[in-house]
């Protein structure tokens, strides 16, 4: 991929995120974590530990962003459970990084994929209702 193509791709990702609603943004984060952790496993296979560490570090940061996005007051037990799960994932990824463990990365990938599946299964009418409520609050 040429430098121009890479820059166009990055610009599309940035513009897509800038125009995304909160539901889509969370979905983008889940997808990004999955991509970064998959790349980290490939870097382990190539003994490219520098790039593996970068991918895992970025994933850990994205879990932090997910934690920050939780509404602990309104979300109640679900938000508390997700917060703990994201914290577990961060800690587990630190260990995976230290141990170059693809198996530990796979464990976190399964968690993220499961959460993403649940997120994607939220009915469209519920998503739209939430977005309308958020628009009314922001208006």
């Amino acid at each position: 991929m040429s430098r121009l193509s890479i820059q166009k791709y990055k610009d599309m990702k940035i513009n897509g995120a800038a125009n995304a609603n909160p539901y889509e943004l969370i979905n983008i984060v889940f997808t990004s974590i999955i991509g970064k952790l998959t790349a980290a496993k490939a870097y382990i296979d190539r003994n490219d530990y520098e790039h593996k560490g970068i991918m895992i570090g970025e994933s850990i940061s994205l879990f932090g962003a997910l934690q920050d996005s939780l509404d602990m007051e309104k979300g109640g037990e679900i938000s508390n459970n997700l917060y703990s799960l994201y914290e577990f994932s961060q800690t587990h990824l630190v260990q995976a990084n230290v141990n170059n463990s693809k198996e530990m990365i796979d464990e976190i990938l399964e968690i993220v994929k499961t959460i993403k599946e649940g997120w994607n299964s939220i009915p469209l009418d519920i998503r739209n209702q939430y977005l309308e409520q958020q628009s009314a609050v922001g208006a």
Side-chain angles (χ1 to χ4, degrees):
M1 195 181 264
S2 72
R3 286 184 183 248
L4 184 57
S5 297
I6 292 170
Q7 188 57 48
K8 282 183 181 180
Y9 174 73
K10 287 180 180 178
D11 290 345
M12 283 178 16
K13 281 180 60 177
I14 290 168
N15 290 336
N19 295 323
N21 64 48
Y23 173 85
E24 293 166 334
L25 284 173
I26 298 297
N27 206 24
I28 289 168
V29 172
F30 288 139
T31 301
S32 184
I33 291 171
I34 291 167
K36 289 177 185 308
L37 292 180
T38 301
K41 288 174 45 180
Y43 286 128
I44 290 171
D45 287 340
R46 290 186 222 137
N47 297 320
D48 184 345
Y49 301 119
E50 178 183 355
H51 286 102
K52 175 248 349 181
I54 291 169
M55 292 296 104
I56 290 176
E58 289 177 3
S59 297
I60 290 169
S61 294
L62 288 170
F63 277 113
L66 288 171
Q67 286 175 308
D68 291 344
S69 74
L70 294 170
D71 186 333
M72 301 307 281
E73 288 181 26
K74 292 181 185 175
E77 186 177 349
I78 292 172
S79 289
N80 285 322
N81 290 343
L82 285 171
Y83 190 93
S84 296
L85 197 54
Y86 298 153
E87 189 170 56
F88 168 82
S89 296
Q90 290 170 313
T91 304
H92 210 63
L93 286 174
V94 168
Q95 290 301 311
N97 193 30
V98 169
N99 296 315
N100 295 316
S101 174
K102 293 191 318 183
E103 294 78 14
M104 294 178 85
I105 293 171
D106 281 335
E107 291 175 33
I108 302 307
L109 276 168
E110 286 306 309
I111 290 170
V112 175
K113 288 176 182 177
T114 301
I115 295 170
K116 187 178 185 303
E117 285 175 19
W119 187 253
N120 289 335
S121 72
I122 297 172
L124 188 56
D125 59 330
I126 300 294
R127 288 185 228 163
N128 290 336
Q129 181 182 6
Y130 169 78
L131 294 172
E132 288 170 12
Q133 290 172 351
Q134 295 305 307
S135 293
V137 170

